[in-house]
Amino acid sequence: MRVIRTIQELRQALKLLREGSKKVALVATMGALHAGHLSLIKQAQKAADVVIVSIFINPKQFGPNEDFSAYPRQEKVDLALLVEQDVHIAYVPDIKEMYKADFATSISVGGITSGLCGDVRPGHFDGIALVVTKLLLHAAPDVAIFGEKDYQQLMVIKQLVSDLDLPVKILGAPILREKDGLAISSRNIYLTADERKIAPELVKTLREVAAAVTKDPTSPCEALLENAKSSLISKGFSSIDYLELRHAKTLASMTAKTDQPARLFVAARLGTCRLIDNIDVK
Ligand code: AMP
């Protein structure tokens, strides 16, 4: 595996591979790699000949009171894991390579970014849109894989790629979960032992609400959602940023599923952690 830290070196390496007609896939990560990331890499390996995994903790997607400086950093461990996975290129640019001192451009995707994490984390999706655009321009992959764990992010990236006519296919990957259902996340290590026991209640609640909506798709679900929020608080969550039913493609708010594709989205705080999750409503 090659570890590449500059845009120039990455472009040079990819030029040679492309001359050999290799299909290239990108998996963009912030490191602290776990089984969820590895499942994206497996999907990338099925979709392409060459897999690039980027590791870059993007300061522009963190708000001023968020955990940028505390975000887990374990480059050596991550690189060893990527070698084990037979990844071809680890792209690990530093902050100066990504954002030069006079950097002044922003990218803002409208529509799909309003509501859910877009409201709770102002500027977050601008930071995502910017870094993903840059990574796609650096690696120019044929396909790029993003997890449904960050479902709104996946939809923002699809919108961005469509709007800017970027020549890349965006694929979504299903959420990988722990045995007890908790969605795997780099931030789960910050849960205390007690919080870790409470955390799976998030997906349990989503599954219960989803089952109730499926059973009675034409009934308004506001009361159901309010009850579920109260139940999460009673189980130990300190606050609920949102628990909402939304259209699975447009992310428009829904009060009942009716015959539309729908998903449930939740973000809740447990101790110092903010957990997000989402599930399909059949
Ligand atoms: P991150 O390193 O948190 O920025 O995540 C990098 C990519 O991995 C994103 O596309 C995430 O949606 C995806 N991802 C993170 N956790 C999971 C998971 N548990 N299952 C599937 N994809 C995931």
Side-chain angles (χ1 to χ4, degrees):
M1 183 180 80
R2 280 186 69 180
V3 179
I4 295 183
R5 296 184 187 274
T6 66
I7 301 164
Q8 196 192 2
E9 201 190 331
L10 181 67
R11 290 201 168 129
Q12 190 58 35
L14 289 168
K15 193 169 168 239
L16 295 175
L17 289 167
R18 276 209 194 82
E19 279 163 7
S21 308
K22 299 280 190 203
K23 197 170 170 191
V24 176
L26 172 71
V27 176
T29 82
M30 296 204 296
L33 300 179
H34 52 63
H37 296 116
L38 303 191
S39 72
L40 267 57
I41 293 169
K42 293 235 159 60
Q43 192 168 326
Q45 284 167 332
K46 283 188 194 133
D49 308 301
V50 173
V51 174
I52 306 171
V53 177
S54 62
I55 300 177
F56 179 68
I57 306 177
N58 175 35
K60 294 196 186 280
Q61 72 190 64
F62 289 79
N65 300 317
E66 294 182 356
D67 59 345
F68 173 67
S69 49
Y71 198 84
R73 288 164 169 83
Q74 48 167 62
E75 186 183 303
K76 264 195 187 154
V77 177
D78 286 346
L79 293 179
L81 255 175
L82 295 180
V83 170
E84 265 176 37
Q85 301 301 310
D86 285 329
V87 165
H88 300 86
I89 296 175
Y91 178 45
V92 196
D94 70 10
I95 291 189
K96 284 191 208 123
E97 183 71 6
M98 195 60 91
Y99 301 115
K100 294 177 186 65
D102 60 350
F103 192 89
T105 297
S106 53
I107 299 182
S108 194
V109 178
I112 209 130
T113 53
S114 77
L116 304 176
C117 286
D119 283 1
V120 185
R121 304 182 69 187
H124 172 64
F125 288 121
D126 291 359
I128 296 275
L130 185 61
V131 80
V132 170
T133 304
K134 283 176 73 79
L135 288 169
L136 292 174
L137 290 170
H138 295 175
D142 300 282
V143 291
I145 327 281
F146 294 87
E148 290 180 350
K149 163 80 177 21
D150 303 280
Y151 194 89
Q152 190 177 18
Q153 167 179 290
L154 169 65
M155 302 311 275
V156 169
I157 292 165
K158 283 188 171 171
Q159 179 83 47
L160 168 89
V161 162
S162 164
D163 290 351
L164 298 184
D165 309 309
L166 298 178
V168 58
K169 186 172 179 191
I170 302 298
L171 298 177
I175 302 175
L176 207 79
R177 299 180 178 281
E178 303 284 3
K179 278 205 184 88
D180 59 12
L182 176 65
I184 299 176
S185 162
S186 308
R187 290 182 170 106
N188 290 351
I189 54 165
Y190 294 126
L191 295 168
T192 64
D194 284 346
E195 289 161 2
R196 178 63 190 80
K197 280 185 205 141
I198 298 169
E201 294 297 333
L202 204 59
V203 68
K204 241 170 108 184
T205 301
L206 283 183
R207 285 173 179 157
E208 282 163 14
V209 175
V213 172
T214 302
K215 205 169 155 202
D216 195 2
T218 54
S219 277
C221 60
E222 288 104 326
L224 197 65
L225 294 170
E226 284 311 312
N227 287 342
K229 283 189 205 172
S230 307
S231 148
L232 283 171
I233 297 289
S234 71
K235 282 169 181 156
F237 286 84
S238 50
S239 62
I240 315 298
D241 285 347
Y242 56 76
L243 171 53
E244 292 184 36
L245 183 72
R246 296 234 167 190
H247 192 285
K249 295 219 166 77
T250 64
L251 298 191
S253 278
M254 293 172 116
T255 49
K257 180 184 161 8
T258 60
D259 58 351
Q260 298 295 307
R263 271 186 109 83
L264 278 166
F265 295 87
V266 69
R269 291 176 197 267
L270 183 57
T272 58
C273 288
R274 178 176 180 275
L275 303 179
I276 61 169
D277 204 343
N278 67 87
I279 58 167
D280 180 34
V281 180
K282 299 271 182 262

